[in-house]
Amino acid sequence: MEHVATGVELLGVGVLVVGIAWSGVRAAIGWVHTSDGRRTYAELRESIGGSLLLGLEILVAADLIKTVAVAPTVDNVLVLGLIVLIRTFLSFSLQIEIDGALPWRRGRREAGSIRGASPRGS
């Protein structure tokens, strides 16, 4: 199981590296086609944020596998709890940065934009 956990960690790091590189390529292509710096920057931030979120989730899974399957001591479980807490806070913060709204406010904003787009809403 230790090899599985290491493989999942490598996958998480790979997602981070490839995701950030891909985000840079997309931003460069967007910049060439539109020359709109603000829009390109916003898309770059959103793309990098998504890559970071996915990478963090995979790394949390690797830590879970390592702690539960390899060395389930009380100290390791406490360290895992702290890591999960920190990464959850980071994921929450990144999601707010990407969406531009708190998660419980996001639904209201999307519902308002759907209502405004319908024939009755206008």
Side-chain angles (χ1 to χ4, degrees), residues 72-107:
T73 65
V74 173
D75 287 341
N76 285 348
V77 171
L78 290 175
V79 169
L80 174 66
L82 183 61
I83 289 170
V84 168
L85 188 67
I86 291 168
R87 288 188 178 162
T88 300
F89 176 75
L90 286 173
S91 295
F92 185 74
S93 300
L94 281 169
Q95 194 66 48
I96 291 171
E97 283 289 322
I98 291 170
D99 293 338
L102 294 169
W104 51 88
R105 298 263 184 197
R106 186 176 53 231

mmCIF file of all heavy atoms in Angstrom, residues 72-107:
data_model
loop_
_atom_site.group_PDB
_atom_site.id
_atom_site.type_symbol
_atom_site.label_atom_id
_atom_site.label_comp_id
_atom_site.label_asym_id
_atom_site.label_seq_id
_atom_site.Cartn_x
_atom_site.Cartn_y
_atom_site.Cartn_z
ATOM 1 N N PRO A 72 -1.207 3.304 10.681
ATOM 2 C CA PRO A 72 -2.334 3.916 11.392
ATOM 3 C C PRO A 72 -2.073 4.144 12.888
ATOM 4 O O PRO A 72 -2.709 3.556 13.750
ATOM 5 C CB PRO A 72 -3.461 2.910 11.175
ATOM 6 C CG PRO A 72 -2.764 1.600 11.038
ATOM 7 C CD PRO A 72 -1.453 1.905 10.386
ATOM 8 N N THR A 73 -1.113 5.008 13.203
ATOM 9 C CA THR A 73 -0.860 5.352 14.602
ATOM 10 C C THR A 73 -1.648 6.606 14.957
ATOM 11 O O THR A 73 -2.107 7.341 14.077
ATOM 12 C CB THR A 73 0.636 5.610 14.849
ATOM 13 O OG1 THR A 73 1.026 6.769 14.113
ATOM 14 C CG2 THR A 73 1.490 4.426 14.427
ATOM 15 N N VAL A 74 -1.795 6.859 16.241
ATOM 16 C CA VAL A 74 -2.527 8.040 16.701
ATOM 17 C C VAL A 74 -1.836 9.311 16.212
ATOM 18 O O VAL A 74 -2.494 10.246 15.748
ATOM 19 C CB VAL A 74 -2.653 8.036 18.247
ATOM 20 C CG1 VAL A 74 -3.267 9.335 18.739
ATOM 21 C CG2 VAL A 74 -3.478 6.850 18.704
ATOM 22 N N ASP A 75 -0.517 9.354 16.285
ATOM 23 C CA ASP A 75 0.226 10.527 15.819
ATOM 24 C C ASP A 75 -0.006 10.765 14.330
ATOM 25 O O ASP A 75 -0.225 11.909 13.897
ATOM 26 C CB ASP A 75 1.725 10.374 16.082
ATOM 27 C CG ASP A 75 2.078 10.511 17.555
ATOM 28 O OD1 ASP A 75 1.248 11.064 18.310
ATOM 29 O OD2 ASP A 75 3.175 10.070 17.937
ATOM 30 N N ASN A 76 0.024 9.715 13.536
ATOM 31 C CA ASN A 76 -0.188 9.861 12.092
ATOM 32 C C ASN A 76 -1.608 10.329 11.778
ATOM 33 O O ASN A 76 -1.822 11.126 10.869
ATOM 34 C CB ASN A 76 0.108 8.552 11.362
ATOM 35 C CG ASN A 76 1.590 8.278 11.263
ATOM 36 O OD1 ASN A 76 2.411 9.143 11.538
ATOM 37 N ND2 ASN A 76 1.931 7.065 10.883
ATOM 38 N N VAL A 77 -2.573 9.822 12.523
ATOM 39 C CA VAL A 77 -3.961 10.242 12.309
ATOM 40 C C VAL A 77 -4.128 11.717 12.676
ATOM 41 O O VAL A 77 -4.810 12.468 11.976
ATOM 42 C CB VAL A 77 -4.936 9.343 13.097
ATOM 43 C CG1 VAL A 77 -6.344 9.901 13.061
ATOM 44 C CG2 VAL A 77 -4.910 7.924 12.541
ATOM 45 N N LEU A 78 -3.499 12.164 13.759
ATOM 46 C CA LEU A 78 -3.560 13.580 14.135
ATOM 47 C C LEU A 78 -2.893 14.465 13.082
ATOM 48 O O LEU A 78 -3.421 15.523 12.736
ATOM 49 C CB LEU A 78 -2.912 13.792 15.511
ATOM 50 C CG LEU A 78 -3.671 13.216 16.702
ATOM 51 C CD1 LEU A 78 -2.859 13.383 17.984
ATOM 52 C CD2 LEU A 78 -5.034 13.869 16.836
ATOM 53 N N VAL A 79 -1.756 14.025 12.580
ATOM 54 C CA VAL A 79 -1.073 14.780 11.520
ATOM 55 C C VAL A 79 -1.949 14.810 10.272
ATOM 56 O O VAL A 79 -2.079 15.857 9.624
ATOM 57 C CB VAL A 79 0.320 14.174 11.221
ATOM 58 C CG1 VAL A 79 0.911 14.764 9.956
ATOM 59 C CG2 VAL A 79 1.258 14.399 12.398
ATOM 60 N N LEU A 80 -2.570 13.690 9.933
ATOM 61 C CA LEU A 80 -3.468 13.649 8.784
ATOM 62 C C LEU A 80 -4.628 14.631 8.978
ATOM 63 O O LEU A 80 -4.996 15.356 8.056
ATOM 64 C CB LEU A 80 -4.012 12.243 8.559
ATOM 65 C CG LEU A 80 -5.073 12.121 7.470
ATOM 66 C CD1 LEU A 80 -4.473 12.431 6.104
ATOM 67 C CD2 LEU A 80 -5.706 10.750 7.483
ATOM 68 N N GLY A 81 -5.197 14.646 10.183
ATOM 69 C CA GLY A 81 -6.292 15.582 10.458
ATOM 70 C C GLY A 81 -5.868 17.019 10.250
ATOM 71 O O GLY A 81 -6.599 17.819 9.662
ATOM 72 N N LEU A 82 -4.669 17.371 10.690
ATOM 73 C CA LEU A 82 -4.159 18.724 10.504
ATOM 74 C C LEU A 82 -3.930 19.029 9.025
ATOM 75 O O LEU A 82 -4.287 20.103 8.532
ATOM 76 C CB LEU A 82 -2.863 18.908 11.293
ATOM 77 C CG LEU A 82 -2.239 20.290 11.267
ATOM 78 C CD1 LEU A 82 -3.193 21.312 11.865
ATOM 79 C CD2 LEU A 82 -0.915 20.284 12.033
ATOM 80 N N ILE A 83 -3.364 18.067 8.305
ATOM 81 C CA ILE A 83 -3.137 18.251 6.863
ATOM 82 C C ILE A 83 -4.458 18.437 6.132
ATOM 83 O O ILE A 83 -4.602 19.327 5.289
ATOM 84 C CB ILE A 83 -2.347 17.053 6.285
ATOM 85 C CG1 ILE A 83 -0.907 17.086 6.785
ATOM 86 C CG2 ILE A 83 -2.377 17.057 4.761
ATOM 87 C CD1 ILE A 83 -0.118 15.825 6.470
ATOM 88 N N VAL A 84 -5.443 17.610 6.441
ATOM 89 C CA VAL A 84 -6.755 17.711 5.797
ATOM 90 C C VAL A 84 -7.401 19.053 6.128
ATOM 91 O O VAL A 84 -7.993 19.698 5.265
ATOM 92 C CB VAL A 84 -7.665 16.530 6.189
ATOM 93 C CG1 VAL A 84 -9.092 16.767 5.768
ATOM 94 C CG2 VAL A 84 -7.136 15.237 5.581
ATOM 95 N N LEU A 85 -7.259 19.501 7.358
ATOM 96 C CA LEU A 85 -7.811 20.796 7.754
ATOM 97 C C LEU A 85 -7.169 21.937 6.964
ATOM 98 O O LEU A 85 -7.868 22.804 6.418
ATOM 99 C CB LEU A 85 -7.599 21.004 9.260
ATOM 100 C CG LEU A 85 -8.265 22.210 9.885
ATOM 101 C CD1 LEU A 85 -9.783 22.033 9.854
ATOM 102 C CD2 LEU A 85 -7.789 22.380 11.314
ATOM 103 N N ILE A 86 -5.858 21.923 6.857
ATOM 104 C CA ILE A 86 -5.149 22.966 6.099
ATOM 105 C C ILE A 86 -5.530 22.909 4.626
ATOM 106 O O ILE A 86 -5.830 23.935 4.008
ATOM 107 C CB ILE A 86 -3.626 22.822 6.281
ATOM 108 C CG1 ILE A 86 -3.244 23.168 7.721
ATOM 109 C CG2 ILE A 86 -2.870 23.709 5.294
ATOM 110 C CD1 ILE A 86 -1.823 22.797 8.085
ATOM 111 N N ARG A 87 -5.544 21.734 4.053
ATOM 112 C CA ARG A 87 -5.871 21.616 2.634
ATOM 113 C C ARG A 87 -7.329 21.948 2.359
ATOM 114 O O ARG A 87 -7.661 22.488 1.307
ATOM 115 C CB ARG A 87 -5.511 20.223 2.120
ATOM 116 C CG ARG A 87 -4.020 20.044 2.018
ATOM 117 C CD ARG A 87 -3.650 18.754 1.344
ATOM 118 N NE ARG A 87 -2.192 18.655 1.238
ATOM 119 C CZ ARG A 87 -1.550 17.546 1.016
ATOM 120 N NH1 ARG A 87 -2.216 16.414 0.861
ATOM 121 N NH2 ARG A 87 -0.246 17.538 0.937
ATOM 122 N N THR A 88 -8.212 21.648 3.302
ATOM 123 C CA THR A 88 -9.621 22.031 3.137
ATOM 124 C C THR A 88 -9.755 23.543 3.126
ATOM 125 O O THR A 88 -10.475 24.109 2.296
ATOM 126 C CB THR A 88 -10.479 21.419 4.260
ATOM 127 O OG1 THR A 88 -10.356 19.999 4.205
ATOM 128 C CG2 THR A 88 -11.935 21.815 4.127
ATOM 129 N N PHE A 89 -9.053 24.212 4.031
ATOM 130 C CA PHE A 89 -9.063 25.672 4.045
ATOM 131 C C PHE A 89 -8.514 26.230 2.733
ATOM 132 O O PHE A 89 -9.078 27.167 2.155
ATOM 133 C CB PHE A 89 -8.246 26.208 5.231
ATOM 134 C CG PHE A 89 -8.135 27.698 5.241
ATOM 135 C CD1 PHE A 89 -9.204 28.483 5.620
ATOM 136 C CD2 PHE A 89 -6.956 28.307 4.865
ATOM 137 C CE1 PHE A 89 -9.111 29.863 5.627
ATOM 138 C CE2 PHE A 89 -6.846 29.688 4.865
ATOM 139 C CZ PHE A 89 -7.924 30.473 5.239
ATOM 140 N N LEU A 90 -7.420 25.649 2.237
ATOM 141 C CA LEU A 90 -6.851 26.101 0.960
ATOM 142 C C LEU A 90 -7.832 25.873 -0.192
ATOM 143 O O LEU A 90 -8.012 26.741 -1.052
ATOM 144 C CB LEU A 90 -5.536 25.367 0.671
ATOM 145 C CG LEU A 90 -4.332 25.784 1.483
ATOM 146 C CD1 LEU A 90 -3.156 24.854 1.209
ATOM 147 C CD2 LEU A 90 -3.938 27.220 1.189
ATOM 148 N N SER A 91 -8.473 24.713 -0.216
ATOM 149 C CA SER A 91 -9.442 24.418 -1.274
ATOM 150 C C SER A 91 -10.614 25.393 -1.223
ATOM 151 O O SER A 91 -11.059 25.904 -2.247
ATOM 152 C CB SER A 91 -9.970 22.988 -1.140
ATOM 153 O OG SER A 91 -8.945 22.071 -1.351
ATOM 154 N N PHE A 92 -11.101 25.658 -0.022
ATOM 155 C CA PHE A 92 -12.207 26.592 0.164
ATOM 156 C C PHE A 92 -11.813 27.986 -0.327
ATOM 157 O O PHE A 92 -12.559 28.641 -1.061
ATOM 158 C CB PHE A 92 -12.588 26.616 1.652
ATOM 159 C CG PHE A 92 -13.782 27.455 1.965
ATOM 160 C CD1 PHE A 92 -15.055 27.023 1.642
ATOM 161 C CD2 PHE A 92 -13.636 28.677 2.603
ATOM 162 C CE1 PHE A 92 -16.167 27.796 1.941
ATOM 163 C CE2 PHE A 92 -14.740 29.452 2.907
ATOM 164 C CZ PHE A 92 -16.004 29.011 2.577
ATOM 165 N N SER A 93 -10.618 28.428 0.049
ATOM 166 C CA SER A 93 -10.140 29.742 -0.373
ATOM 167 C C SER A 93 -9.967 29.815 -1.884
ATOM 168 O O SER A 93 -10.336 30.810 -2.517
ATOM 169 C CB SER A 93 -8.806 30.065 0.302
ATOM 170 O OG SER A 93 -8.938 30.080 1.691
ATOM 171 N N LEU A 94 -9.409 28.766 -2.471
ATOM 172 C CA LEU A 94 -9.236 28.743 -3.924
ATOM 173 C C LEU A 94 -10.577 28.764 -4.645
ATOM 174 O O LEU A 94 -10.737 29.442 -5.662
ATOM 175 C CB LEU A 94 -8.449 27.497 -4.347
ATOM 176 C CG LEU A 94 -6.950 27.559 -4.165
ATOM 177 C CD1 LEU A 94 -6.337 26.181 -4.367
ATOM 178 C CD2 LEU A 94 -6.328 28.549 -5.125
ATOM 179 N N GLN A 95 -11.547 28.041 -4.136
ATOM 180 C CA GLN A 95 -12.863 28.004 -4.765
ATOM 181 C C GLN A 95 -13.511 29.386 -4.730
ATOM 182 O O GLN A 95 -14.141 29.807 -5.696
ATOM 183 C CB GLN A 95 -13.764 26.975 -4.073
ATOM 184 C CG GLN A 95 -14.995 26.635 -4.865
ATOM 185 C CD GLN A 95 -14.658 25.920 -6.154
ATOM 186 O OE1 GLN A 95 -13.888 24.983 -6.176
ATOM 187 N NE2 GLN A 95 -15.237 26.363 -7.244
ATOM 188 N N ILE A 96 -13.340 30.099 -3.630
ATOM 189 C CA ILE A 96 -13.870 31.461 -3.547
ATOM 190 C C ILE A 96 -13.168 32.359 -4.563
ATOM 191 O O ILE A 96 -13.801 33.176 -5.238
ATOM 192 C CB ILE A 96 -13.721 32.018 -2.114
ATOM 193 C CG1 ILE A 96 -14.664 31.274 -1.171
ATOM 194 C CG2 ILE A 96 -14.005 33.515 -2.071
ATOM 195 C CD1 ILE A 96 -14.448 31.598 0.286
ATOM 196 N N GLU A 97 -11.851 32.204 -4.696
ATOM 197 C CA GLU A 97 -11.102 32.999 -5.674
ATOM 198 C C GLU A 97 -11.566 32.713 -7.099
ATOM 199 O O GLU A 97 -11.708 33.617 -7.910
ATOM 200 C CB GLU A 97 -9.604 32.704 -5.565
ATOM 201 C CG GLU A 97 -8.929 33.365 -4.406
ATOM 202 C CD GLU A 97 -8.800 34.864 -4.575
ATOM 203 O OE1 GLU A 97 -8.541 35.331 -5.696
ATOM 204 O OE2 GLU A 97 -8.976 35.572 -3.571
ATOM 205 N N ILE A 98 -11.805 31.454 -7.404
ATOM 206 C CA ILE A 98 -12.208 31.071 -8.759
ATOM 207 C C ILE A 98 -13.612 31.574 -9.067
ATOM 208 O O ILE A 98 -13.856 32.177 -10.112
ATOM 209 C CB ILE A 98 -12.138 29.534 -8.933
ATOM 210 C CG1 ILE A 98 -10.685 29.079 -8.922
ATOM 211 C CG2 ILE A 98 -12.818 29.109 -10.233
ATOM 212 C CD1 ILE A 98 -10.535 27.579 -8.846
ATOM 213 N N ASP A 99 -14.552 31.333 -8.148
ATOM 214 C CA ASP A 99 -15.954 31.688 -8.394
ATOM 215 C C ASP A 99 -16.252 33.155 -8.135
ATOM 216 O O ASP A 99 -17.225 33.690 -8.655
ATOM 217 C CB ASP A 99 -16.883 30.839 -7.521
ATOM 218 C CG ASP A 99 -16.849 29.382 -7.918
ATOM 219 O OD1 ASP A 99 -16.472 29.087 -9.060
ATOM 220 O OD2 ASP A 99 -17.199 28.536 -7.080
ATOM 221 N N GLY A 100 -15.455 33.788 -7.292
ATOM 222 C CA GLY A 100 -15.708 35.175 -6.956
ATOM 223 C C GLY A 100 -16.859 35.353 -5.985
ATOM 224 O O GLY A 100 -17.381 36.456 -5.826
ATOM 225 N N ALA A 101 -17.288 34.281 -5.336
ATOM 226 C CA ALA A 101 -18.395 34.357 -4.381
ATOM 227 C C ALA A 101 -18.262 33.218 -3.380
ATOM 228 O O ALA A 101 -17.642 32.192 -3.661
ATOM 229 C CB ALA A 101 -19.735 34.246 -5.103
ATOM 230 N N LEU A 102 -18.858 33.426 -2.219
ATOM 231 C CA LEU A 102 -18.900 32.360 -1.226
ATOM 232 C C LEU A 102 -19.766 31.220 -1.760
ATOM 233 O O LEU A 102 -20.711 31.461 -2.521
ATOM 234 C CB LEU A 102 -19.487 32.890 0.079
ATOM 235 C CG LEU A 102 -18.629 33.944 0.793
ATOM 236 C CD1 LEU A 102 -19.419 34.593 1.919
ATOM 237 C CD2 LEU A 102 -17.353 33.333 1.322
ATOM 238 N N PRO A 103 -19.472 29.975 -1.392
ATOM 239 C CA PRO A 103 -20.236 28.847 -1.938
ATOM 240 C C PRO A 103 -21.740 28.962 -1.723
ATOM 241 O O PRO A 103 -22.518 28.608 -2.593
ATOM 242 C CB PRO A 103 -19.667 27.641 -1.185
ATOM 243 C CG PRO A 103 -18.297 28.054 -0.797
ATOM 244 C CD PRO A 103 -18.372 29.539 -0.543
ATOM 245 N N TRP A 104 -22.179 29.464 -0.579
ATOM 246 C CA TRP A 104 -23.607 29.572 -0.319
ATOM 247 C C TRP A 104 -24.224 30.774 -1.032
ATOM 248 O O TRP A 104 -25.420 30.885 -1.125
ATOM 249 C CB TRP A 104 -23.895 29.619 1.171
ATOM 250 C CG TRP A 104 -23.104 30.642 1.914
ATOM 251 C CD1 TRP A 104 -23.434 31.944 2.117
ATOM 252 C CD2 TRP A 104 -21.843 30.446 2.543
ATOM 253 N NE1 TRP A 104 -22.444 32.577 2.832
ATOM 254 C CE2 TRP A 104 -21.450 31.674 3.115
ATOM 255 C CE3 TRP A 104 -20.988 29.345 2.685
ATOM 256 C CZ2 TRP A 104 -20.266 31.840 3.807
ATOM 257 C CZ3 TRP A 104 -19.810 29.521 3.378
ATOM 258 C CH2 TRP A 104 -19.464 30.748 3.926
ATOM 259 N N ARG A 105 -23.416 31.667 -1.578
ATOM 260 C CA ARG A 105 -23.914 32.792 -2.369
ATOM 261 C C ARG A 105 -23.898 32.472 -3.863
ATOM 262 O O ARG A 105 -24.588 33.099 -4.640
ATOM 263 C CB ARG A 105 -23.059 34.035 -2.132
ATOM 264 C CG ARG A 105 -23.064 34.515 -0.729
ATOM 265 C CD ARG A 105 -24.057 35.579 -0.620
ATOM 266 N NE ARG A 105 -24.030 36.138 0.725
ATOM 267 C CZ ARG A 105 -24.984 36.853 1.206
ATOM 268 N NH1 ARG A 105 -26.032 37.116 0.472
ATOM 269 N NH2 ARG A 105 -24.915 37.321 2.419
ATOM 270 N N ARG A 106 -23.098 31.515 -4.250
ATOM 271 C CA ARG A 106 -22.928 31.163 -5.658
ATOM 272 C C ARG A 106 -24.242 30.711 -6.275
ATOM 273 O O ARG A 106 -24.585 31.097 -7.380
ATOM 274 C CB ARG A 106 -21.866 30.065 -5.784
ATOM 275 C CG ARG A 106 -21.515 29.735 -7.189
ATOM 276 C CD ARG A 106 -20.385 28.721 -7.280
ATOM 277 N NE ARG A 106 -20.659 27.534 -6.504
ATOM 278 C CZ ARG A 106 -19.818 27.007 -5.628
ATOM 279 N NH1 ARG A 106 -18.657 27.557 -5.398
ATOM 280 N NH2 ARG A 106 -20.132 25.922 -4.966
ATOM 281 N N GLY A 107 -25.025 29.920 -5.570
ATOM 282 C CA GLY A 107 -26.303 29.420 -6.084
ATOM 283 C C GLY A 107 -27.275 30.545 -6.361
ATOM 284 O O GLY A 107 -27.985 30.543 -7.358
#
